Amino acid sequence: MVKNKFILAFALTASILFQNNSYALTEVTLHNSPIVTESNKALLTPIQENVGEPIKSENTDNAQNEESLKQATLTEEKKQRIAQIALPNVAANGAIIIDANTGKVLYEKNADTRFFPASITKILTALLVIENTQLDNRVIYSRSATTNLESGAVTLGLVEGDNISVRDSLYGLLLKSANEVANGLAEHVSGSIPAFANLMNQKARELGCTNSNFTNPSGLNDVNHFTTARDMALIAKACFANETFVQFDSTLNYNFPATIKKPTLTPITMGHKMLNSADTRFYEGIIGGKTGYTSKAKNTLVTCAKRGNTKLITVILNANKTQYEDTKAMLDYGFEVMKIENE
């Protein structure tokens, strides 16, 4: 009995010594049988370091290095192939095309130069209206909204007292590009055009715009009303991520309701020619967009197109009647680049 106690004490002492050197006895054996008691149970528990961590072998490291090298080679190969694609020939003075999913710039030309936007301003107006009021609400058009217009401005002939829903007004804004509609919607949302302009600038900053200033909801000439291709692309990205906006902006034809001056429906048509399959400028995959023109801004154009999982946004500023050709050239380039990127 004494002998057994001596052997157990020796074994436990050895266990403690081994533990101090990061070793542990798995069990104590006496006459081929383990002896485990509550007092020595903790001492007999094996020490496990880095439990749950996979044991890396040299083969594993080599495989990972080979895979990384393979991916780097593929990426470099894609870059070389993309570099061989001819850049779009863009005549407009300001232009950009971005991946609408990531915001990545695929091509730009004077993207941070300030230009007058003209009526592409109205996509920001529409987005703010959608975010800040209900589509079934009624807009009561004021005298200031329907008369505060420059000569030659596009209108739907609304006058003071016209009562039109927000929904109908948005179709008038985005399809007909009616300027008194822009004014009326701005007053409906913010109470006045200056207050709505403040809202426009606040939203632009939230979207990351750094070189724009908006003074009215329509885009009519104002020396302090300007933007850049890059900023407009950010605004368009937010617009085309909004399903309600897309619903309005992808509509080709709509019957605007009766008004005080015109007691019958007024058929209106989307101004962006690349959406219309009957037009020679039609482009497969166009979701929507907005045209613009003033004598100072010249032709401006925002476009969104999608093919497969690739969604692109283009902006054209200060063009001399080349807005559609420029847009097509950028979209062709963008889809070709993204086809390689997505392989």
Side-chain angles (χ1 to χ4, degrees):
M1 184 67 179
V2 173
K3 181 179 179 181
N4 287 346
K5 289 181 177 180
F6 173 78
I7 293 173
L8 177 58
F10 175 80
L12 292 175
T13 301
S15 173
I16 294 170
L17 291 173
F18 287 166
Q19 283 188 335
N20 290 336
N21 292 280
S22 298
Y23 292 92
L25 292 176
T26 302
E27 59 186 20
V28 177
T29 304
L30 183 62
H31 298 302
N32 298 320
S33 299
I35 298 177
V36 181
T37 67
E38 289 300 320
S39 61
N40 66 24
K41 187 174 182 181
L43 296 176
L44 302 180
T45 303
I47 296 175
Q48 298 181 17
E49 296 183 358
N50 302 322
V51 175
E53 293 185 5
I55 299 175
K56 294 184 178 180
S57 68
E58 186 176 344
N59 290 337
T60 301
D61 290 337
N62 289 339
Q64 290 177 343
N65 290 336
E66 289 176 2
E67 181 62 24
S68 297
L69 181 60
K70 180 181 178 182
Q71 291 299 324
T73 301
L74 288 173
T75 300
E76 187 59 34
E77 179 188 2
K78 287 182 179 181
K79 287 181 179 179
Q80 292 177 2
R81 291 166 61 193
I82 290 172
Q84 293 173 0
I85 302 173
L87 292 175
N89 183 15
V90 175
N93 287 315
I96 197 170
I97 178 170
I98 68 169
D99 178 347
N101 295 316
T102 65
K104 179 180 179 180
V105 177
L106 305 180
Y107 169 84
E108 63 182 80
K109 177 181 178 181
N110 299 326
D112 296 309
T113 301
R114 293 177 178 179
F115 295 103
F116 298 126
S119 283
I120 60 174
T121 298
K122 293 184 175 92
I123 68 170
L124 177 56
T125 298
L127 180 64
L128 287 170
V129 171
I130 291 167
E131 291 179 343
N132 289 279
T133 190
Q134 300 298 314
L135 298 181
D136 292 328
N137 285 355
R138 309 295 296 184
V139 180
I140 310 299
Y141 284 83
S142 69
R143 179 176 179 79
S144 62
T146 55
T147 60
N148 185 23
L149 304 167
E150 66 185 47
S151 177
V154 174
T155 73
L156 274 165
L158 302 184
V159 296
E160 182 181 5
D162 266 315
N163 184 334
I164 309 293
S165 72
V166 170
R167 186 188 312 276
D168 290 330
S169 295
L170 281 170
Y171 281 115
L173 178 77
L174 292 173
L175 274 65
K176 181 64 175 178
S177 198
N179 291 288
E180 85 276 39
V181 171
N183 288 342
L185 285 168
E187 290 181 349
H188 175 76
V189 170
S190 298
S192 70
I193 289 175
F196 188 80
N198 289 336
L199 187 63
M200 296 173 77
N201 289 315
Q202 178 185 332
K203 183 66 175 182
R205 288 191 295 271
E206 289 174 1
L207 295 175
C209 300
T210 59
N211 209 5
S212 296
N213 188 68
F214 300 99
T215 61
N216 64 68
S218 62
L220 292 178
N221 290 321
D222 186 317
V223 293
N224 293 315
H225 188 98
F226 53 81
T227 190
T228 66
R230 192 182 312 279
D231 283 357
M232 278 308 303
L234 293 174
I235 293 169
K237 181 175 181 290
C239 289
F240 288 102
N242 185 296
E243 293 182 3
T244 303
F245 177 91
V246 172
Q247 177 186 338
F248 285 103
D249 201 53
S250 61
T251 300
L252 287 176
N253 301 288
Y254 189 76
N255 287 322
F256 195 79
T259 64
I260 292 173
K261 288 179 66 175
K262 190 173 182 180
T264 58
L265 297 177
T266 300
I268 55 177
T269 303
M270 165 59 73
H272 197 309
K273 306 304 181 184
M274 297 177 83
L275 275 79
N276 188 353
S277 60
D279 195 285
T280 57
R281 290 159 289 193
F282 173 74
Y283 192 91
E284 189 69 39
I286 299 292
I287 295 174
K290 185 72 189 75
T291 60
Y293 176 82
T294 67
S295 58
K296 294 182 178 179
K298 297 186 179 179
N299 296 106
T300 62
L301 190 67
V302 169
T303 307
C304 182
K306 184 177 182 181
R307 291 180 179 176
N309 293 323
T310 298
K311 184 179 176 184
L312 303 176
I313 286 171
T314 63
V315 177
I316 295 293
L317 294 173
N318 200 238
N320 187 16
K321 300 180 180 180
T322 63
Q323 67 274 26
Y324 291 115
E325 293 89 337
D326 291 342
T327 297
K328 180 182 184 303
M330 287 200 295
L331 288 175
D332 286 346
Y333 173 80
F335 281 120
E336 193 169 355
V337 168
M338 293 306 297
K339 181 179 179 181
I340 295 173
E341 289 272 7
N342 295 331
E343 286 179 351

